[in-house]
Amino acid sequence: MKATSPILRRRLLALTLAAACVGSVYAAAPTVAPASKPDVVADHIDTSVKPGDDFFEFANGAWLKSHPIPAEESQWGIGQVVQDELYAKLRKISENAAADKSAKPGSDEQKVGDFWTIAMDQPLADKLGITPLKEELSRIDAVHDVNSTLDEAFALQQIGVGLFFDFALSQDEKQSDVMAVHLWQGGLGLPERDYYFNQEKGVAKVRTAYVGHLQRVFHLLGKSDAEAAASAKQVMAFETALAKVSRPLADLRDPEKNYNKMAPADLTSTYTPSIAWNTRLAGWKLPASTVIVGQPEFFKGLQALLSKTPAPVLRDYMRVHLVDAYASYLSQDFDNERFSFYGTTLNGQAEQKPRWKRALRAENQALGMILGRIYVKDYFSEAAKQRYNTMVEAVRTAYAERIDKLDWMSPATKAKAHEKLEAVTKKVGYPDKWKDYSKLTIGRTSYAQNMMNAARWEFDDTVAKFGKPVDRSEWEMTPQTYNAYYNPSNNEIVLPAAQFIIPGFTDDQIDDAVVYGYVAASTIGHEITHGFDDEGRQYDAKGNLKDWWTKEDAERFKQRADVMVKQFNAYEPLPGLHINGKASLGENIADFGGIMIGLDAFKKTEQYKKGEKIAGYTPLQRFFLGYALGWLSQEREQQLRTGLLADVHAPAKWRVNGPLSNVPDFYQAFDVKQGQPMWRPEDQRVKIW
């Protein structure tokens, strides 16, 4: 998985699991003799489906049919099973901390224990109601013009309420050893700008439901029915205008077009006369001489909206965004209203997850690295860390050999590709240096107050990096995060400890074929390939946005990538809604590249060379079944719709069938014939890495 931009850092959940060395690392699987266990992949197969017709359903169908989506979930698959296992471990850590009466004030144990205790106290949250937000709501009440609007908007940004625009302090894309201020389009309540315009009937229903949600929030805040209806309509109109000046999702993946460096004073004079950026940034203790603006036209549009929008509408816009940001930590009426729209309408969940799971989700957000430090001590070994470090090197070697064999890339570009590949840093398991949370105050005043304290601490921690050397050892994910990522500015792959969980099996019960499909292909190879996808390839070995391709090679790459765009554009998971081939191109290239590289590495193993069947399947077949296992998932129509409009990842089914339809060894392994849905003429297959 990869961020769509340096400002958003959208690490959306990806079911890219790693599957080896689990039993010796995690005490998760029951003690069962290997012979008595179902096969790790064969047990999931639906033999009524032909592999060449729909490999995803063939590989995963039996499991999906016998495991319907629970009412509290918007999707269900191996990722959620792993997540439940993680929750059980983290709950134990939290409950132990809460029970520890000897924890010293300010210690990790005190912070975890107090956070857990107060997060689980529903009666207290109900008693407090909206009180934890009273101070901020009072400041919003005092807003009377554009300047006072901006005073409060900049203050709310510090507690995680993204009003009008998004802000981040991250590496300068063209000078990766310098931390830079980034300003990006934002401020919307719906997941993505196209939600405000797409005419598909399901999206239209979401728009209507969103206005209803806004109206109910205003009613909870004390407005009459008529006042709430009017406010909701006006906020929706404001956000629609904001969406209109925002770039579409696919256009946010062009790093050059989204890199516009200028002095803050020039941003003010040219685009936003109402926002004195030098003064505003100084208020955040950011005396920046330059800022990197993602979408200058958005800020010009924002200026026009600020100038013509009445103060009461701006107040209502800020109120509803503040409440939505903190509703999950307030009384049940606010919590239920937020869930009704964002949980049920957008994602199809029939009911809320139990409070303890929601508390853990918030605790991970607020105290992630504190929990992570305890988690890896209890559940992740140094031996496991070393094993996956070794696996990364095996995949790196296979990638280098594949680069050498490319017939479309010139020697000059190959040399640069090798330089970048060799420079890729691997981070496995957990950080070598842990974050210092000593300045974070966690108490028992209120759940929302703890979340505000955590958000403010994170903001201050981020701002404190300005003017200092880039800390390339820092992690953007906690060890207990079920995910992985590639960071182009650091030219690194990051594989958290929790990524190496597969429930129900120990390492000696999983053969190399499945491990290579499940780990080397869908995780390690995938993340390394992000350094060479349509966006990542534009960064050099040092993480700088710098063209290292010959003009001819770049054109050949684009021609090959365009084949993949066309393929995915043709997929229509819901009537009238296709996959966005351009927006999802980076992930699709990474999936395809990961498979090809993982397969190359697997072909060096003894299991592949021997060719012996296990559970009736050859090593090559089991490799592809292992890859499909990593995407074992089904989702509700509402979440599928949300993903198609707002996610740069294709849905799980097409992350299997899409790339595999381009892999020659897949055709051989399952005897895919012309006329079957997954068959493509050879001259229409993607051939990149």
Side-chain angles (χ1 to χ4, degrees):
M1 188 186 64
K2 183 168 177 286
T4 59
S5 75
I7 184 90
L8 299 181
R9 300 296 185 194
R10 288 179 178 169
R11 309 298 187 190
L12 303 175
L13 180 65
L15 304 180
T16 47
L17 303 180
C21 199
V22 177
S24 59
V25 184
Y26 301 97
T31 304
V32 180
S36 68
K37 293 180 71 66
D39 184 76
V40 65
V41 288
D43 193 52
H44 298 160
I45 290 173
D46 183 350
T47 56
S48 70
V49 180
K50 295 180 180 178
D53 290 348
D54 186 335
F55 188 70
F56 176 85
E57 291 295 335
F58 167 78
N60 297 322
W63 191 94
L64 295 173
K65 287 177 181 178
S66 61
H67 294 81
I69 303 174
E72 69 185 52
E73 302 286 349
S74 57
Q75 68 183 82
W76 192 246
I78 196 165
Q80 286 67 47
V81 176
V82 170
Q83 186 63 63
D84 274 357
E85 185 177 300
L86 284 169
Y87 275 151
K89 293 178 170 68
L90 296 174
R91 183 178 188 175
K92 182 179 179 182
I93 290 170
S94 299
E95 289 178 340
N96 288 345
D100 184 1
K101 304 302 182 184
S102 63
K104 296 180 180 178
S107 66
D108 288 354
E109 290 74 16
Q110 176 266 314
K111 289 181 171 71
V112 172
D114 281 0
F115 188 98
W116 176 257
T117 299
I118 210 72
M120 290 297 291
D121 194 341
Q122 180 74 65
L124 176 61
D126 290 339
K127 178 183 177 182
L128 292 173
I130 196 66
T131 302
L133 302 185
K134 281 292 187 182
E135 187 175 337
E136 294 300 339
L137 288 169
S138 295
R139 280 200 281 263
I140 292 174
D141 289 342
V143 165
H144 59 279
D145 58 10
V146 172
N147 195 53
S148 56
T149 296
L150 292 170
D151 287 343
E152 181 58 12
F154 274 77
L156 287 172
Q157 287 269 1
Q158 296 178 73
I159 58 169
V161 185
L163 296 170
F164 302 118
F165 63 91
D166 281 343
F167 152 82
L169 187 75
S170 56
Q171 287 159 276
D172 186 326
E173 286 80 2
K174 296 190 176 183
Q175 197 174 354
S176 65
D177 58 346
V178 173
M179 299 298 286
V181 172
H182 289 77
L183 301 171
W184 201 266
Q185 66 187 43
L188 303 179
L190 289 172
E192 209 277 324
R193 58 93 65 191
D194 284 355
Y195 257 95
Y196 293 85
F197 310 113
N198 192 293
Q199 295 304 306
E200 190 263 342
K201 63 180 182 179
V203 182
K205 288 181 180 178
V206 169
R207 280 197 294 273
T208 300
Y210 181 54
V211 176
H213 164 67
L214 296 176
Q215 183 174 343
R216 289 187 293 275
V217 171
F218 287 127
H219 190 267
L220 287 171
L221 287 172
K223 288 181 180 282
S224 68
D225 288 345
E227 291 170 334
S231 291
K233 183 178 179 181
Q234 291 167 336
V235 169
M236 182 60 171
F238 178 81
E239 289 190 13
T240 302
L242 206 58
K244 190 173 183 179
V245 297
S246 301
R247 291 183 186 174
L249 183 64
D251 292 345
L252 299 178
R253 295 197 64 259
D254 186 328
E256 280 287 355
K257 290 182 179 178
N258 290 282
Y259 183 93
N260 302 280
K261 196 171 188 177
M262 61 188 75
D266 291 339
L267 175 58
T268 297
S269 62
T270 306
Y271 298 102
T272 57
S274 295
I275 308 178
W277 285 102
N278 273 324
T279 301
R280 294 293 179 186
L281 292 174
W284 281 350
K285 299 180 181 179
L286 286 172
S289 59
T290 60
V291 293
I292 298 170
V293 183
Q295 306 77 30
E297 75 280 6
F298 169 82
F299 286 89
K300 186 174 183 179
L302 173 61
Q303 169 65 41
L305 281 170
L306 288 172
S307 299
K308 70 181 183 182
T309 303
V313 177
L314 295 175
R315 289 197 293 267
D316 281 339
Y317 166 78
M318 291 192 287
R319 288 184 185 112
V320 78
H321 278 264
L322 169 63
V323 170
D324 268 343
Y326 282 91
S328 299
Y329 323 118
L330 300 174
S331 53
Q332 207 153 12
D333 49 356
F334 286 98
D335 184 20
N336 287 345
E337 175 51 42
R338 189 184 194 284
F339 173 77
S340 176
F341 178 71
Y342 288 102
T344 301
T345 300
L346 276 181
N347 293 319
Q349 293 169 257
E351 61 186 47
Q352 286 249 44
K353 292 177 189 261
R355 188 172 183 85
W356 69 270
K357 288 186 178 180
R358 289 179 279 139
L360 282 173
R361 182 175 59 197
E363 191 174 3
N364 267 310
Q365 180 183 335
L367 307 173
M369 285 299 180
I370 292 179
L371 281 175
R373 192 159 53 218
I374 301 170
Y375 173 82
V376 298
K377 177 172 61 71
D378 292 347
Y379 298 110
F380 192 69
S381 72
E382 187 60 35
K385 186 170 185 174
Q386 182 56 45
R387 176 162 186 166
Y388 288 103
N389 272 314
T390 301
M391 187 175 289
V392 171
E393 295 310 317
V395 172
R396 192 197 306 260
T397 298
Y399 211 143
E401 293 170 353
R402 179 159 286 273
I403 290 172
D404 286 335
K405 296 175 183 176
L406 293 177
D407 60 4
W408 59 268
M409 183 180 283
S410 69
T413 304
K414 283 184 178 181
K416 292 291 186 180
H418 276 296
E419 180 185 347
K420 180 170 185 177
L421 177 65
E422 183 63 28
V424 171
T425 300
K426 60 181 183 292
K427 294 179 179 177
V428 178
Y430 52 88
D432 294 327
K433 180 176 68 176
W434 294 97
K435 265 188 176 297
D436 177 9
Y437 281 80
S438 59
K439 294 183 179 179
L440 170 60
T441 300
I442 297 295
R444 298 199 176 194
T445 302
S446 76
Y447 191 6
Q449 186 62 56
N450 282 339
M451 293 304 292
M452 280 188 274
N453 289 352
R456 195 178 299 280
W457 175 88
E458 183 176 4
F459 184 91
D460 291 344
D461 181 67
T462 297
V463 168
K465 300 170 188 174
F466 184 75
K468 297 178 181 177
V470 171
D471 182 1
R472 294 182 185 264
S473 69
E474 190 169 11
W475 283 48
E476 293 180 10
M477 284 182 179
T478 66
Q480 68 275 19
T481 299
Y482 177 57
N483 213 331
Y485 68 92
Y486 170 79
N487 180 349
S489 293
N490 278 350
N491 190 25
E492 66 181 4
I493 62 170
V494 183
L495 311 171
Q499 186 72 356
F500 305 125
I501 297 175
I502 180 171
F505 288 87
T506 57
D507 58 318
D508 61 339
Q509 295 167 343
I510 306 174
D511 54 301
D512 278 347
V514 173
V515 170
Y516 274 83
Y518 205 57
V519 183
S522 74
T523 300
I524 299 172
H526 173 98
E527 300 304 342
I528 290 180
T529 303
H530 268 316
F532 302 90
D533 68 18
D534 63 307
E535 186 177 358
R537 74 173 189 84
Q538 299 181 58
Y539 292 78
D540 66 12
K542 295 181 179 179
N544 293 313
L545 185 56
K546 182 179 180 181
D547 191 0
W548 49 270
W549 294 66
T550 67
K551 182 179 179 181
E552 295 76 16
D553 287 343
E555 182 57 34
R556 282 191 283 265
F557 178 94
K558 184 179 184 304
Q559 289 172 352
R560 291 163 185 266
D562 284 345
V563 177
M564 182 161 276
V565 172
K566 183 178 179 181
Q567 286 183 6
F568 277 82
N569 279 340
Y571 292 128
E572 189 177 5
L574 287 173
L577 282 180
H578 290 247
I579 295 175
N580 188 329
K582 185 179 178 183
S584 61
L585 180 59
E587 297 299 332
N588 299 332
I589 290 175
D591 286 339
F592 174 63
I595 291 168
M596 300 299 284
I597 300 155
L599 185 57
D600 285 353
F602 173 56
K603 287 181 177 179
K604 297 180 180 181
T605 66
E606 288 301 313
Q607 183 183 2
Y608 176 80
K609 293 173 183 177
K610 288 181 178 179
E612 296 174 355
K613 290 184 177 181
I614 297 176
Y617 294 94
T618 67
L620 189 60
Q621 290 173 328
R622 291 181 67 81
F623 169 87
F624 292 116
L625 290 168
Y627 176 79
L629 179 63
W631 301 106
L632 174 63
S633 180
Q634 54 191 329
E635 59 189 328
R636 300 190 189 278
E637 180 180 314
Q638 295 92 329
Q639 176 157 306
L640 177 58
R641 179 177 290 106
T642 298
L644 289 171
L645 269 74
D647 195 350
V648 296
H649 302 78
K653 177 176 180 176
W654 289 272
R655 295 191 73 170
V656 174
N657 291 355
L660 289 185
S661 69
N662 297 291
V663 179
D665 285 274
F666 170 71
Y667 285 73
Q668 174 193 332
F670 290 98
D671 195 26
V672 179
K673 300 292 188 184
Q674 185 172 355
Q676 291 188 286
M678 290 194 62
W679 186 87
R680 295 184 187 277
E682 187 171 353
D683 61 356
Q684 294 179 24
R685 297 175 194 169
V686 175
K687 298 175 183 177
I688 305 178
W689 297 108

Short mmCIF file of all heavy atoms in Angstrom, two decimals, residues 21 33 151 206 213 248 258 267-268 333 337 358 411 461 465 487 492 513 539 586 595 627:
data_model
loop_
_atom_site.label_atom_id
_atom_site.label_comp_id
_atom_site.label_asym_id
_atom_site.label_seq_id
_atom_site.Cartn_x
_atom_site.Cartn_y
_atom_site.Cartn_z
N CYS A 21 6.68 -18.30 9.88
CA CYS A 21 7.27 -18.11 11.20
C CYS A 21 6.29 -17.61 12.24
O CYS A 21 6.66 -16.93 13.17
CB CYS A 21 8.45 -17.15 11.12
SG CYS A 21 9.57 -17.24 12.51
N ALA A 33 -1.89 -31.40 15.78
CA ALA A 33 -0.92 -32.06 14.91
C ALA A 33 -1.16 -31.63 13.48
O ALA A 33 -2.29 -31.55 13.03
CB ALA A 33 -1.06 -33.58 15.02
N ASP A 151 -9.00 32.17 12.62
CA ASP A 151 -8.44 31.97 13.96
C ASP A 151 -8.86 30.61 14.51
O ASP A 151 -8.04 29.84 15.01
CB ASP A 151 -8.92 33.07 14.91
CG ASP A 151 -8.27 34.42 14.65
OD1 ASP A 151 -7.22 34.45 13.98
OD2 ASP A 151 -8.83 35.44 15.12
N VAL A 206 -26.39 8.49 -0.95
CA VAL A 206 -25.44 8.88 0.10
C VAL A 206 -25.47 10.39 0.30
O VAL A 206 -25.45 10.88 1.44
CB VAL A 206 -24.02 8.40 -0.24
CG1 VAL A 206 -22.99 9.03 0.69
CG2 VAL A 206 -23.93 6.88 -0.15
N HIS A 213 -27.88 13.57 7.85
CA HIS A 213 -26.95 13.44 8.98
C HIS A 213 -26.58 14.81 9.53
O HIS A 213 -26.61 15.03 10.76
CB HIS A 213 -25.70 12.70 8.52
CG HIS A 213 -24.52 12.83 9.44
ND1 HIS A 213 -24.49 12.30 10.71
CD2 HIS A 213 -23.32 13.47 9.27
CE1 HIS A 213 -23.34 12.59 11.29
NE2 HIS A 213 -22.62 13.29 10.44
N PRO A 248 -9.67 15.75 -8.89
CA PRO A 248 -10.14 14.35 -8.78
C PRO A 248 -9.05 13.45 -8.21
O PRO A 248 -7.85 13.78 -8.26
CB PRO A 248 -10.46 13.98 -10.24
CG PRO A 248 -10.66 15.28 -10.94
CD PRO A 248 -9.74 16.25 -10.27
N ASN A 258 1.51 18.07 -8.32
CA ASN A 258 1.10 18.39 -6.96
C ASN A 258 2.25 18.93 -6.12
O ASN A 258 2.18 18.91 -4.88
CB ASN A 258 0.48 17.15 -6.30
CG ASN A 258 -0.87 16.79 -6.90
OD1 ASN A 258 -1.89 17.41 -6.60
ND2 ASN A 258 -0.89 15.81 -7.78
N LEU A 267 1.86 32.81 -1.72
CA LEU A 267 0.60 32.08 -1.64
C LEU A 267 -0.51 33.04 -1.21
O LEU A 267 -1.62 33.00 -1.74
CB LEU A 267 0.72 30.93 -0.64
CG LEU A 267 -0.55 30.13 -0.33
CD1 LEU A 267 -1.14 29.52 -1.59
CD2 LEU A 267 -0.26 29.04 0.71
N THR A 268 -0.19 33.92 -0.27
CA THR A 268 -1.17 34.90 0.19
C THR A 268 -1.55 35.87 -0.91
O THR A 268 -2.73 36.06 -1.23
CB THR A 268 -0.63 35.67 1.40
OG1 THR A 268 -0.41 34.77 2.48
CG2 THR A 268 -1.62 36.75 1.84
N ASP A 333 -25.80 9.46 22.03
CA ASP A 333 -26.60 10.06 20.97
C ASP A 333 -25.71 10.60 19.84
O ASP A 333 -26.00 10.39 18.65
CB ASP A 333 -27.52 11.15 21.51
CG ASP A 333 -26.82 12.15 22.42
OD1 ASP A 333 -25.61 11.97 22.70
OD2 ASP A 333 -27.48 13.10 22.88
N GLU A 337 -25.29 8.74 16.10
CA GLU A 337 -25.58 9.50 14.88
C GLU A 337 -24.42 9.43 13.90
O GLU A 337 -24.61 9.25 12.71
CB GLU A 337 -25.89 10.96 15.23
CG GLU A 337 -26.09 11.85 14.00
CD GLU A 337 -27.09 11.29 13.00
OE1 GLU A 337 -28.15 10.78 13.41
OE2 GLU A 337 -26.81 11.34 11.79
N ARG A 358 -13.92 -0.57 19.87
CA ARG A 358 -13.84 0.83 19.47
C ARG A 358 -12.85 1.58 20.37
O ARG A 358 -12.13 2.47 19.91
CB ARG A 358 -15.22 1.48 19.53
CG ARG A 358 -16.15 0.99 18.43
CD ARG A 358 -17.51 1.63 18.52
NE ARG A 358 -18.37 0.97 19.50
CZ ARG A 358 -19.18 1.60 20.34
NH1 ARG A 358 -19.22 2.92 20.35
NH2 ARG A 358 -19.94 0.93 21.17
N PRO A 411 20.26 0.20 -20.92
CA PRO A 411 21.29 -0.02 -19.89
C PRO A 411 21.44 1.17 -18.94
O PRO A 411 21.68 0.98 -17.75
CB PRO A 411 22.56 -0.24 -20.72
CG PRO A 411 22.07 -0.80 -22.02
CD PRO A 411 20.77 -0.09 -22.28
N ASP A 461 4.31 17.37 18.24
CA ASP A 461 5.43 16.48 17.93
C ASP A 461 5.84 16.63 16.46
O ASP A 461 7.03 16.63 16.14
CB ASP A 461 5.02 15.03 18.21
CG ASP A 461 6.14 14.04 17.93
OD1 ASP A 461 7.14 14.07 18.64
OD2 ASP A 461 5.99 13.24 16.97
N LYS A 465 9.56 18.96 14.46
CA LYS A 465 10.55 18.44 13.52
C LYS A 465 11.06 19.52 12.57
O LYS A 465 12.06 19.33 11.88
CB LYS A 465 9.95 17.29 12.69
CG LYS A 465 9.49 16.11 13.52
CD LYS A 465 8.70 15.13 12.68
CE LYS A 465 8.07 14.05 13.54
NZ LYS A 465 7.18 13.16 12.74
N ASN A 487 7.58 4.20 1.51
CA ASN A 487 7.70 5.65 1.60
C ASN A 487 8.72 6.12 0.56
O ASN A 487 9.91 5.84 0.68
CB ASN A 487 8.17 6.03 3.01
CG ASN A 487 8.33 7.53 3.19
OD1 ASN A 487 8.30 8.30 2.23
ND2 ASN A 487 8.49 7.97 4.43
N GLU A 492 12.00 3.43 1.32
CA GLU A 492 11.99 2.38 2.33
C GLU A 492 10.70 1.57 2.25
O GLU A 492 9.66 2.08 1.83
CB GLU A 492 12.11 2.99 3.72
CG GLU A 492 10.90 3.84 4.11
CD GLU A 492 11.02 4.46 5.49
OE1 GLU A 492 12.07 4.31 6.14
OE2 GLU A 492 10.04 5.13 5.91
N ALA A 513 5.61 -22.67 -0.85
CA ALA A 513 4.80 -22.16 -1.97
C ALA A 513 3.79 -21.14 -1.48
O ALA A 513 3.64 -20.05 -2.05
CB ALA A 513 4.09 -23.32 -2.68
N TYR A 539 10.90 9.02 -8.18
CA TYR A 539 11.81 9.35 -7.09
C TYR A 539 13.11 8.57 -7.25
O TYR A 539 13.09 7.41 -7.66
CB TYR A 539 11.18 9.00 -5.74
CG TYR A 539 9.99 9.86 -5.38
CD1 TYR A 539 8.74 9.62 -5.94
CD2 TYR A 539 10.12 10.91 -4.47
CE1 TYR A 539 7.64 10.41 -5.61
CE2 TYR A 539 9.03 11.70 -4.12
CZ TYR A 539 7.79 11.44 -4.70
OH TYR A 539 6.71 12.22 -4.38
N GLY A 586 -0.98 2.65 -9.39
CA GLY A 586 0.19 2.33 -8.57
C GLY A 586 0.02 1.03 -7.82
O GLY A 586 0.93 0.19 -7.77
N ILE A 595 3.83 -10.15 -7.62
CA ILE A 595 3.62 -11.55 -8.04
C ILE A 595 4.79 -12.04 -8.88
O ILE A 595 5.33 -13.14 -8.65
CB ILE A 595 2.31 -11.67 -8.84
CG1 ILE A 595 1.10 -11.44 -7.93
CG2 ILE A 595 2.20 -13.05 -9.50
CD1 ILE A 595 -0.21 -11.26 -8.68
N TYR A 627 -1.17 -16.49 -2.80
CA TYR A 627 -1.38 -15.07 -3.09
C TYR A 627 -2.86 -14.70 -2.90
O TYR A 627 -3.19 -13.69 -2.27
CB TYR A 627 -0.94 -14.75 -4.52
CG TYR A 627 -1.25 -13.32 -4.90
CD1 TYR A 627 -0.43 -12.28 -4.47
CD2 TYR A 627 -2.38 -13.00 -5.65
CE1 TYR A 627 -0.72 -10.95 -4.79
CE2 TYR A 627 -2.68 -11.68 -5.97
CZ TYR A 627 -1.85 -10.67 -5.54
OH TYR A 627 -2.16 -9.35 -5.83
#
